[in-house]
Amino acid sequence: MEGWFVVALAVVAALWAGRVYNRLVQNRNRIANAFGQIDVQLKRRHDLVPNLVEVARRYLAHEAATLQAVTQARGAALGAADAARAAPTSAAAIGALTAAEQALGGSLGRLFVVAEDYPDLKADASMRALSEELTSTENRIGFARQAYNDQVLAFNDAATRFPDLLVARLTGFAPAEMLLSTQSAAERAAPKVAF
């Protein structure tokens, strides 16, 4: 009789562990799906940058360093996005993506600051349209980032809750990293207004 009890207990434990494992896999897949939505918007952002640089290049002949910085930051962001796409739950990949996107945002911000000094560039219809499209894309990235972070939170809650934590650790599920704002600190800072 005792043997049956042990077998029944082992079966219940195995069923519970299987259920927990499947829930963790489902949550990890939801993170990957949510990252896919971010990835679409990041690709859109990355595709807008060369057009923006090309329009600006016509007016900013003396600002080659600014344009070069934007181009280099875009290249780094593309590489980081590729790495994050391959491992959307990797803390290192998401951290590198955040840093690369912040650098790209900072260089784009500097480009727009420089553009303010060139009235013809500010007035260019292509530049205005690209700027508006970039702003719209930034908003979409923000919404997609929120959805991603919600999925990361659900996964991390499931992977760190006891006793599910035991299954998570035994099967290699580590907590996922939240995707921080892709804007640089300067872009997030409140504007300074002189009175």
Side-chain angles (χ1 to χ4, degrees):
M1 190 56 95
E2 223 173 272
W4 287 106
F5 178 73
V6 171
V7 169
L9 190 59
V11 167
V12 168
L15 290 173
W16 168 79
R19 184 170 175 260
V20 169
Y21 178 82
N22 288 338
R23 188 173 49 240
L24 290 170
V25 167
Q26 182 182 38
N27 283 335
R28 183 181 59 197
N29 291 342
R30 287 180 177 161
I31 289 173
N33 179 54
F35 183 80
Q37 301 306 311
I38 291 172
D39 192 41
V40 166
Q41 299 309 322
L42 290 177
K43 283 181 183 176
R44 182 177 176 186
R45 180 186 197 201
H46 298 156
D47 289 347
L48 287 170
V49 170
N51 297 332
L52 190 67
V53 168
E54 192 53 42
V55 169
R57 188 178 315 271
R58 288 184 260 154
Y59 295 93
L60 304 177
H62 303 303
E63 303 290 346
T66 302
L67 298 174
Q68 184 65 25
V70 171
T71 302
Q72 289 175 340
R74 177 185 179 265
L78 284 170
D82 288 343
R85 189 177 310 112
T89 59
S90 166
I94 295 301
L97 176 63
T98 298
E101 288 296 330
Q102 286 174 346
L104 177 57
S107 65
L108 285 171
R110 284 187 295 283
L111 174 62
F112 286 122
V113 167
V114 167
E116 289 292 319
D117 292 336
Y118 292 83
D120 291 343
L121 178 58
K122 275 178 46 178
D124 186 281
S126 295
M127 185 67 168
R128 280 196 322 267
L130 286 167
S131 296
E132 289 173 15
E133 190 67 27
L134 194 58
T135 300
S136 171
T137 300
E138 294 296 337
N139 291 335
R140 291 177 185 187
I141 290 170
F143 291 127
R145 184 181 61 247
Q146 180 61 47
Y148 172 84
N149 286 341
D150 289 345
Q151 292 304 319
V152 167
L153 180 63
F155 173 80
N156 288 346
D157 285 348
T160 58
R161 184 178 41 227
F162 187 81
D164 297 1
L165 168 74
L166 302 172
V167 174
R169 294 301 178 258
L170 287 173
T171 56
F173 286 96
E177 184 76 20
M178 295 273 189
L179 181 62
L180 303 177
S181 175
T182 57
Q183 293 180 321
S184 68
E187 290 174 305
R188 290 190 309 268
K192 293 184 173 62
V193 179
F195 291 102

